């Protein structure tokens, strides 16, 4: 991990210095422009992918981006196309990067207890980007030296590990400040925007209060080594008081927000935790929920769902299937559970049964990308490559940056003897996985192959330019 962090530091510093150093002279008084921010954001995304493991799961991606789109419907015109990601790391952290990229660490998600809490953090980060607080912080940083901006951007992502102090020491040695923490005014503005947007969505702003209470608890419990989220978003105590005053002013005059069905949130949370958390600790937590006589029926069922995911990850397919069947019987109104059942069937070698289970889901909802991808996998396991290819191409349209879909398409093309097409797909697999050197090699292989269709060769050349921009920055 240390090697990846060091590589990430170097790349982010180089990306920022190259982009900003050539476009924005240190003494220039104009603001950091939207175009510059977009360019930094594009390069930073590939850098993050090369340094960190994302929870690249069609289901997780679809949920968090759908929730983000719901929030953006009430925020008005935005400068950027927002994208939301989950990082496979248990730090209590999140960060908004240039050009509308918002990253949530799995550790932060694990501390949340409602969709409104997740939405409050999401809306807060959108608020910072919408008001261009990050760009403002970066612009002000140029007063003491533009080199510190690259360090500060990298520091946003590092939590409390060894990399952040290294960045800070390097910055201070140069007489610069690498701090990109938001000011009290920035925080209040983002909190106020988030509060208003949640009301417009018909959501309960108390989720914002609850999230800030969690931040305060974490700050007190870990006061000797604060998580990066509490360093870049300071004054959780003051922010909590501010939000509580907003809530108090609304009492008596506001209509209570209707309760939210928390099924999708807890399914998302437990799917993330089953892939990222310590499995023994996660199992102990879920078991305690199930055995606690004060737990609601819903909490018990969702804990059983979480256990089914843990068992599947540990290849305990019989137990996993038994648990998911219990949850399906208790919550039959949620067809997503049938997709989870199909995943277990597929993992247990029952591809035909998984296909039948998924057919029922997809006949009702073709937009479920988790079902689409799992169906493709089930068909591939049965040797039905042409049918699987149709489903994989559907996923490409909806989630064009999902690396695994290109790997599967590349395998199909290779099996069909279309080596140039296979190389192009493999190049995309590596590109969106953050492996630039391998992406460049694969794209060059596709371009050199005489069987590669001309339009695909042109696309590979364009993607090679993307690789070069990232590598040369």
């Amino acid at each position: 991990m240390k090697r990846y962090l060091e590589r990430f530091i170097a790349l982010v510093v180089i990306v920022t210095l190259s982009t900003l150093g050539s476009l924005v002279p240190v003494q220039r008084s104009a603001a950091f422009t939207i175009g510059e921010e977009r360019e930094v954001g594009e390069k930073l995304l590939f850098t993050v992918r090369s340094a960190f493991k994302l929870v690249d799961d069609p289901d997780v991606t679809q949920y968090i981006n759908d929730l983000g789109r719901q929030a953006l419907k009430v925020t008005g015109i935005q400068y950027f196309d927002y994208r939301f990601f989950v990082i496979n790391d248990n730090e209590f952290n999140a960060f908004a990067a240039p050009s509308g990229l918002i990253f949530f660490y799995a550790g932060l998600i694990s501390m949340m207890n409602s969709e409104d809490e997740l939405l409050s953090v999401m809306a807060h980060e959108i608020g910072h980007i919408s008001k261009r607080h990050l760009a403002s912080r970066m612009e002000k940083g140029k007063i003491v030296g533009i080199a510190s901006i690259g360090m500060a951007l990298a520091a946003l992502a590092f939590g409390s590990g060894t990399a952040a102090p290294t960045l800070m020491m390097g910055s201070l040695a140069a007489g610069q400040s690498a701090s990109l923490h938001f000011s009290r005014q920035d925080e209040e503005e983002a909190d106020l925007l988030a509060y208003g947007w949640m009301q417009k969505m018909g959501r309960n702003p108390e989720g914002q209060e609850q999230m800030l209470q969690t931040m305060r608890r974490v700050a007190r419990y870990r006061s000797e080594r604060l998580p990066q989220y509490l360093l870049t978003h300071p004054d959780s105590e003051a922010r909590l008081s501010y939000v509580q005053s907003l809530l108090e002013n609304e009492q008596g005059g506001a209509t209570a927000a209707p309760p939210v069905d928390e099924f999708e949130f807890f399914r998302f949370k437990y799917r993330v935790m089953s892939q990222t958390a310590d499995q023994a600790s996660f199992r102990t937590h879920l078991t305690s929920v199930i055995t606690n006589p004060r737990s609601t029926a819903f909490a018990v069922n969702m804990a059983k769902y979480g256990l089914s995911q843990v068992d599947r990850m540990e290849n305990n397919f019989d137990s996993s299937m038994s648990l998911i069947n219990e949850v399906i019987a208790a919550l039959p109104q949620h067809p997503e559970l049938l997709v989870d059942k199909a995943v277990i069937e597929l993992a247990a070698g029952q591809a035909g049964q998984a296909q039948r289970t998924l057919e029922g889901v997809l006949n009702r909802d073709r937009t479920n990308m988790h079902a689409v991808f799992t169906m493709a996998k089930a068909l591939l396991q049965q040797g039905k490559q042409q049918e699987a290819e149709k489903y994989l191409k559907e996923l490409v349209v909806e989630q064009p940056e999902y690396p695994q879909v290109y790997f599967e398409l590349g395998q199909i093309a290779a099996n069909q003897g279309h080596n140039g097409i296979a190389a192009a797909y493999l190049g995309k697999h590596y590109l969106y996985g953050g492996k630039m050197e391998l992406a460049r090699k694969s794209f060059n292989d596709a371009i050199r192959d005489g069987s590669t269709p001309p339009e695909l060769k042109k696309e590979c050349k364009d993607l090679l330019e993307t690789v070069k921009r990232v590598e040369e920055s």
Side-chain angles (χ1 to χ4, degrees):
M1 185 63 181
K2 182 179 179 182
R3 175 171 59 89
Y4 289 116
L5 292 177
E6 291 172 346
R7 182 184 178 195
F8 182 51
I9 295 169
L11 283 171
V12 173
V13 172
I14 292 170
V15 163
T16 309
L17 290 178
S18 173
T19 302
L20 300 181
S22 61
L23 296 174
V24 190
V26 172
Q27 300 301 321
R28 198 184 77 178
S29 59
F32 186 57
T33 70
I34 291 170
E36 291 161 357
E37 190 169 343
R38 284 197 179 109
E39 189 171 351
V40 172
E42 178 193 22
K43 294 174 181 178
L44 184 61
L45 176 57
F46 288 114
T47 305
V48 169
R49 283 187 173 278
S50 71
F52 292 101
K53 182 179 179 182
L54 300 182
V55 182
D56 254 332
D57 177 321
D59 194 45
V60 168
T61 298
Q62 187 167 10
Y63 170 80
I64 200 162
N65 280 276
D66 281 351
L67 189 63
R69 281 188 286 269
Q70 290 177 39
L72 289 165
K73 286 179 181 178
V74 303
T75 61
I77 297 173
Q78 296 288 324
Y79 298 112
F80 309 109
D81 294 324
Y82 285 76
R83 284 175 286 174
F84 305 86
F85 304 88
V86 177
I87 293 178
N88 187 339
D89 191 290
N90 285 314
E91 279 291 335
F92 186 90
N93 200 4
F95 64 99
S99 75
L101 305 175
I102 297 180
F103 298 87
F104 299 87
Y105 281 58
L108 181 65
I109 291 168
S110 71
M111 298 289 286
M112 296 175 176
N113 294 303
S114 72
E115 189 172 80
D116 284 338
E117 291 184 29
L118 173 58
L119 192 58
S120 75
V121 176
M122 183 178 284
H124 182 89
E125 298 300 332
I126 292 172
H128 281 309
I129 295 172
S130 178
K131 290 298 181 180
R132 307 206 63 226
H133 292 158
L134 180 60
S136 175
R137 295 289 106 192
M138 293 167 71
E139 179 67 22
K140 290 174 182 176
K142 287 185 296 188
I143 296 171
V144 293
I146 199 168
S148 64
I149 296 174
M151 298 178 185
L153 281 173
L156 284 173
F158 284 125
S160 52
T162 58
T166 301
L167 288 170
M168 294 301 296
M169 287 175 63
S171 176
L172 292 172
Q176 301 164 341
S177 170
S179 174
L180 273 184
H181 69 268
F182 296 110
S183 69
R184 172 74 176 273
Q185 183 178 352
D186 289 344
E187 292 294 85
E188 284 194 1
E189 188 170 26
D191 281 332
L192 183 59
L193 285 170
Y195 186 91
W197 289 336
M198 291 185 71
Q199 286 185 314
K200 284 185 179 180
M201 294 177 69
R203 306 302 287 260
N204 193 344
E206 288 183 4
Q208 194 173 1
E209 178 189 24
Q210 290 157 1
M211 194 67 236
L212 286 166
Q213 287 173 337
T214 298
M215 291 172 64
R216 182 176 64 179
R217 286 198 303 273
V218 171
R220 289 175 176 175
Y221 178 68
R222 298 177 62 181
S223 58
E224 78 289 349
R225 194 190 71 172
L226 282 179
Q228 189 70 9
Y229 195 65
L230 300 180
L231 294 175
T232 56
H233 295 70
D235 301 321
S236 56
E237 191 77 48
R239 290 177 58 199
L240 177 59
S241 297
Y242 178 64
V243 169
Q244 286 174 335
S245 70
L246 292 175
L247 288 166
E248 289 171 4
N249 290 335
E250 292 287 345
Q251 286 180 357
T255 303
V260 174
D261 183 350
E262 297 287 2
F263 170 80
E264 288 190 4
F265 167 75
F266 275 97
R267 181 172 174 273
F268 159 78
K269 174 180 174 176
Y270 286 163
R271 281 180 61 75
V272 168
M273 291 184 70
S274 69
Q275 297 177 56
T276 62
D278 175 76
Q279 297 296 282
S281 299
F282 186 35
R283 182 183 290 278
T284 298
H285 166 72
L286 295 170
T287 302
S288 69
V289 173
I290 293 170
T291 57
N292 187 338
R294 291 177 293 182
S295 295
T296 64
F298 174 78
V300 169
N301 283 318
M302 294 314 298
K304 288 180 179 179
Y305 173 82
L307 277 179
S308 79
Q309 297 299 295
V310 174
D311 282 337
R312 178 179 61 80
M313 297 290 288
E314 295 179 348
N315 296 328
N316 297 324
F317 300 127
D318 289 342
S319 175
S320 181
M321 184 64 70
S322 176
L323 286 164
I324 202 67
N325 281 332
E326 285 186 51
V327 181
I328 289 170
L331 302 171
Q333 70 273 31
H334 295 292
E336 300 96 320
L337 293 168
L338 294 173
V339 186
D340 295 308
K341 180 177 180 178
V343 171
I344 300 167
E345 291 168 339
L346 185 61
Q350 302 168 16
Q353 182 57 52
Q355 180 183 346
R356 289 187 289 274
T357 301
L358 291 164
E359 284 170 350
V361 177
L362 290 170
N363 284 339
R364 293 191 297 269
D365 181 12
R366 192 74 177 202
T367 67
N368 187 319
M369 290 300 107
H370 189 212
V372 166
F373 185 65
T374 306
M375 175 65 88
K377 296 283 286 183
L379 292 167
L380 285 173
Q381 201 172 101
Q382 298 174 77
K384 301 175 181 178
Q385 293 192 26
Q386 288 186 326
E387 293 179 57
E389 187 176 18
K390 295 177 183 177
Y391 285 96
L392 292 170
K393 287 182 176 179
E394 285 184 40
L395 182 56
V396 165
V397 172
E398 296 299 322
Q399 297 186 13
E401 295 181 353
Y402 178 44
Q404 188 63 27
V405 68
Y406 296 110
F407 179 83
E408 302 296 347
L409 285 167
Q411 290 290 101
I412 292 172
N415 292 338
Q416 294 171 341
H418 301 148
N419 293 331
I421 296 174
Y425 279 134
L426 196 59
K428 292 182 181 181
H429 168 70
Y430 289 130
L431 173 65
Y432 296 118
K435 300 176 181 177
M436 296 296 125
E437 184 176 344
L438 292 172
R440 185 182 65 250
K441 180 181 182 303
S442 294
F443 288 138
N444 280 322
D445 288 345
I447 292 167
R448 287 192 293 265
D449 193 295
S451 67
T452 306
E455 65 276 11
L456 187 55
K457 281 190 178 183
K458 182 180 182 306
E459 184 183 2
C460 288
K461 290 177 182 178
D462 291 341
L463 291 172
L464 263 180
E465 290 302 311
T466 299
V467 172
K468 289 176 183 177
R469 283 199 304 272
V470 174
E471 287 187 325
E472 293 172 359
S473 58

